[in-house]
Amino acid sequence: MGQLDKAINNLSLWEMKSYVRKAQNAMLNLTEVEAKVREATNNEPWGASTTLMATIARATFNYRDREEICNMIFRRFTEKSVREWRQIYKSLVLMEYLVKNGSERFVDDARANVALVTMLKSFHYIDSKGVDQGINVRNRSRELSQLLNDENLIREERKKAKDNAKKFGAVSSSTGGVSSSHVGGDGYETRVFGDGGVYGQRYEEQRVGGT
């Protein structure tokens, strides 16, 4: 027992919380991707790492994983109490990241459930110190609602995200991160992005070889 006690004492608080979270994930029978969403939207006072969110974004190109991701995020919006505002806020942050970096079918799912995001614009919570923590959720909800209701803005933000990924040497998902193209019979180059979701499935660029 002495060695066990020593090992426990040497664990950092973060490591202990990590082990507890893994045990809870097992008890809740969460899949690997559900556990990642839970980690990205936990109640800690720091945000999820870009690496973790990028991993979740790649998972949105898989049908079953995407369903599990959506369900976990939407449950955060509907099942968490106001005292758990951080989890709600971080779910909004993750959802926005996935809209910009995930599969287009995730965008379809997010836009189909925009009402869940919109309802959070009236979120209110004053903590024990009298601080209005609800403003964080309200502001993020407002920004995400505006994004989801504006197809052109979504296109613009996804293009920015794609350009940034190339700039920083990020590796796109082999299933959907890279665009494919062909020249249609009308002389326009048509590109299909992501996995062919309804949102932004096609758009026409300038004529190949033209101005």
Side-chain angles (χ1 to χ4, degrees), residues 23-39:
Q24 290 174 334
N25 291 341
M27 291 177 61
L28 294 170
N29 198 30
L30 298 183
T31 64
E32 182 179 353
V33 73
E34 286 175 330
K36 290 185 185 302
V37 174
R38 183 169 184 258
E39 180 182 352

Side-chain angles (χ1 to χ4, degrees), residues 14 34 113 118 121 137 153 165 188 193 208:
W14 184 88
E34 286 175 330
N113 290 276
T118 302
K121 290 195 289 187
V137 173
L153 182 57
Y188 280 86
F193 284 87
V208 178

Side-chain angles (χ1 to χ4, degrees), residues 3-147:
Q3 289 182 334
L4 179 59
D5 291 339
K6 184 177 180 180
I8 292 175
N9 289 334
N10 287 335
L11 289 175
S12 67
L13 179 60
W14 184 88
E15 289 172 323
M16 291 183 66
K17 286 185 176 181
S18 178
Y19 284 125
V20 170
R21 191 167 291 118
K22 287 179 180 178
Q24 290 174 334
N25 291 341
M27 291 177 61
L28 294 170
N29 198 30
L30 298 183
T31 64
E32 182 179 353
V33 73
E34 286 175 330
K36 290 185 185 302
V37 174
R38 183 169 184 258
E39 180 182 352
T41 60
N42 61 35
N43 208 37
E44 301 295 349
W46 54 78
S49 70
T50 303
T51 301
L52 176 58
M53 291 199 293
T55 299
I56 297 172
R58 287 193 293 272
T60 63
F61 290 92
N62 176 278
Y63 171 76
R64 180 167 294 180
D65 286 346
R66 185 174 62 254
E67 275 201 331
E68 293 176 351
I69 291 167
C70 288
N71 288 338
M72 282 291 289
I73 291 175
F74 297 151
R75 280 164 52 193
R76 288 310 210 213
F77 295 157
T78 58
E79 296 180 5
K80 292 299 175 182
S81 69
V82 292
R83 290 183 177 84
E84 297 169 300
W85 66 269
R86 280 197 185 94
Q87 290 171 280
I88 298 171
Y89 174 80
K90 289 163 83 169
S91 296
L92 289 168
V93 172
L94 176 60
M95 188 173 183
E96 180 178 332
Y97 181 91
L98 298 180
V99 167
K100 295 177 181 179
N101 297 273
S103 76
E104 291 180 359
R105 291 189 186 277
F106 180 86
V107 179
D108 295 339
D109 293 337
R111 298 191 75 208
N113 290 276
V114 67
L116 287 176
V117 176
T118 302
M119 74 176 185
L120 293 172
K121 290 195 289 187
S122 60
F123 183 92
H124 286 278
Y125 174 62
I126 308 296
D127 67 16
S128 59
K129 297 180 180 179
V131 178
D132 179 13
Q133 300 291 3
I135 192 171
N136 300 293
V137 173
R138 293 195 300 275
N139 288 343
R140 203 78 193 202
S141 169
R142 187 176 298 108
E143 292 171 3
L144 182 53
S145 295
Q146 289 173 350
L147 175 63

Side-chain angles (χ1 to χ4, degrees), residues 181-193:
S181 63
H182 68 274
V183 180
D186 54 1
Y188 280 86
E189 181 180 14
T190 302
R191 292 187 178 180
V192 180
F193 284 87

